[in-house]
Amino acid sequence: MALMFLTETIRAYRLRDPAARSNLEVALCYPGLHAVGIHAISSFFWRRRLFTLGRWLSHLGRFLTGIEIHPGARLGRRFVIDHGMGVVIGETAEIGDDVYIYHQVTLGGISTLPGKRHPTIGNNVIIGAGAKVLGAILVGDNARIGANAVVVGPVQAGTTVVGIPARPVQQAGESDEKRGGDYGTPSDPCLDPLLQELETLRAELAELDARLARLAGERVS
């Protein structure tokens, strides 16, 4: 079972990352793979109520890889963490299969109360570098979260969200390039909802200027 897990995860890295030239290179040089492997061990002890040992192994994994995954988090198969430095995954986070995240991503909580307080990530989700997904929210299957987005509400399946706070810019059924590709960031900057609002304001100001000019012309005449 452990060998199958390792083999399919290494294959996922090879498929995702063109810089990965061999299975041996992935096994030796990819901290995301190491972090997930250490998490599997720490989670084994955590679920057997050996909490201190589980946390210590998790802490060791953070020291070795720069990736912090709480032993209580649940990770799916073929989970790829690209680069990985600064990734934080909280205790009650749940991650589906074939999820791909970049460095500086946080799956965090916004409450100090016990119980579910971290996100649930569906299958085949991509989370761009620096994104923060906060609270006990659901990110649906095949969603894309843009780099540096701050997500505090649910994300529907097949949707791309960007910005602070994150808002949808593309829906399911559109090309992967338009939906953000592997970085979860749309190639067209005009799809950013903040830029769209600024453009709307600019258009309204231009219209007001034109109306004022017409009124001034009517008074002169």
Side-chain angles (χ1 to χ4, degrees):
M1 185 67 177
L3 180 60
M4 182 178 70
F5 162 82
L6 180 63
T7 301
E8 69 178 12
T9 305
I10 289 175
R11 187 181 301 118
Y13 273 89
R14 293 288 306 277
L15 289 172
R16 292 281 196 175
D17 187 359
R21 291 174 173 80
S22 70
N23 291 348
L24 181 61
E25 180 184 353
V26 174
L28 295 179
C29 304
Y30 278 65
L33 179 66
H34 304 157
V36 171
I38 294 171
H39 172 267
I41 302 171
S42 67
S43 180
F44 173 85
F45 291 110
W46 179 266
R47 304 199 188 286
R48 283 153 183 79
R49 305 190 66 81
L50 298 171
F51 299 125
T52 301
L53 180 56
R55 286 301 302 270
W56 181 80
L57 287 169
S58 174
H59 181 70
L60 179 64
R62 177 177 178 270
F63 175 78
L64 293 174
T65 66
I67 298 168
E68 181 175 343
I69 308 176
H70 193 284
R74 296 181 179 272
L75 310 183
R77 298 171 65 175
R78 299 174 296 278
F79 177 38
V80 173
I81 304 175
D82 199 352
H83 302 295
M85 181 62 70
V87 166
V88 177
I89 300 175
E91 177 186 6
T92 62
E94 300 174 62
I95 298 176
D97 297 335
D98 301 299
V99 171
Y100 188 23
I101 71 175
Y102 288 87
H103 51 285
Q104 301 293 335
V105 165
T106 297
L107 304 182
I110 55 176
S111 170
T112 57
L113 298 175
K116 175 69 171 172
R117 57 192 187 278
H118 298 97
T120 296
I121 309 298
N123 300 321
N124 195 37
V125 172
I126 296 175
I127 306 179
K132 315 302 177 189
V133 187
L134 306 175
I137 61 175
L138 174 64
V139 177
D141 295 348
N142 303 301
R144 302 288 186 267
I145 296 175
N148 295 315
V150 177
V151 183
V152 293
V155 179
Q156 294 184 0
T159 300
T160 296
V161 296
V162 301
I164 304 174
R167 291 173 248 185
V169 292
Q170 294 291 335
Q171 306 296 331
E174 294 177 307
S175 70
D176 193 56
E177 180 181 359
K178 287 186 177 181
R179 292 183 53 237
D182 279 350
Y183 277 90
T185 303
S187 56
D188 184 353
C190 293
L191 294 176
D192 189 318
L194 295 178
L195 291 179
Q196 289 178 332
E197 289 188 7
L198 289 173
E199 180 61 23
T200 300
L201 290 172
R202 187 199 66 78
E204 290 177 353
L205 286 173
E207 183 181 353
L208 286 173
D209 286 341
R211 290 175 62 186
L212 288 172
R214 287 197 301 271
L215 289 172
E218 290 174 359
R219 288 182 179 180
V220 170
S221 62

